[in-house]
Amino acid sequence: MGWDFGANDSPPAANLMKINVPVAKYPAGSSTADITGPAYEYIVFDKATATADLGYPAATRDQSKATLTVRALLNDAPKAVDPSGWEYTSDKTIRLLPAGTQFKAAAIYEFAYTAKDPVVAAVGLAATRDVISYLRHEKAGNPLAGDVQH
């Protein structure tokens, strides 16, 4: 049993439990609709790929509000990728330009941007705690009750 915050929007898989946690919002009547804030993605691929998925959706697709850098080795100085060299393909995905250009395998890409819609991740942690407690201590309806060691 575990909790993967990023799996909130992953495709369904057979025989896996999943929880969809809520997106944090300001209270009704607030002058601000969405919660936004700085986000940072450390992106390294084990094989070349054409797109990079973001952990949070971008609050805006305005490239002047984001920075993409790349470096070959951790001790190298990051080099900025010109905004004409990348684009958003959705609120949660970026790609290099021209279209079809691959992110290099093992290169270190860093993407800083303003994100929105943070999830209430602690709900997933609490659910994990509760499921493990149930499996360890409850007998009724527990498929593992015969195997529980106390």
Side-chain angles (χ1 to χ4, degrees):
M1 178 72 194
W3 163 245
D4 178 3
F5 135 78
N8 201 42
D9 56 0
S10 64
N15 299 322
L16 295 179
M17 290 191 293
K18 183 174 175 175
I19 182 173
N20 288 318
V21 297
V23 170
K25 296 283 186 190
Y26 284 109
S30 173
S31 62
T32 306
D34 294 321
I35 296 175
T36 62
Y40 168 82
E41 306 283 342
Y42 186 87
I43 307 167
V44 179
F45 297 101
D46 58 355
K47 61 182 178 180
T49 186
T51 60
D53 295 328
L54 306 176
Y56 291 98
T60 177
R61 291 192 196 181
D62 179 351
Q63 289 174 270
S64 69
K65 308 244 187 250
T67 304
L68 178 64
T69 64
V70 63
R71 54 188 156 155
L73 301 170
L74 196 54
N75 289 334
D76 292 348
K79 294 179 183 169
V81 176
D82 191 88
S84 65
W86 67 272
E87 71 178 353
Y88 288 98
T89 59
S90 74
D91 289 349
K92 289 199 70 175
T93 309
I94 60 170
R95 72 176 174 189
L96 297 176
L97 293 174
T101 302
Q102 303 281 303
F103 286 92
K104 294 177 184 161
I108 301 165
Y109 294 89
E110 295 170 285
F111 188 63
Y113 64 109
T114 301
K116 66 178 180 178
D117 296 342
V119 296
V120 185
V123 173
L125 297 170
T128 299
R129 176 206 59 210
D130 294 348
V131 168
I132 291 171
S133 179
Y134 170 80
L135 293 173
R136 288 187 75 186
H137 302 291
E138 294 298 322
K139 303 272 188 236
N142 184 346
L144 303 178
D147 297 331
V148 175
Q149 301 293 320
H150 294 281

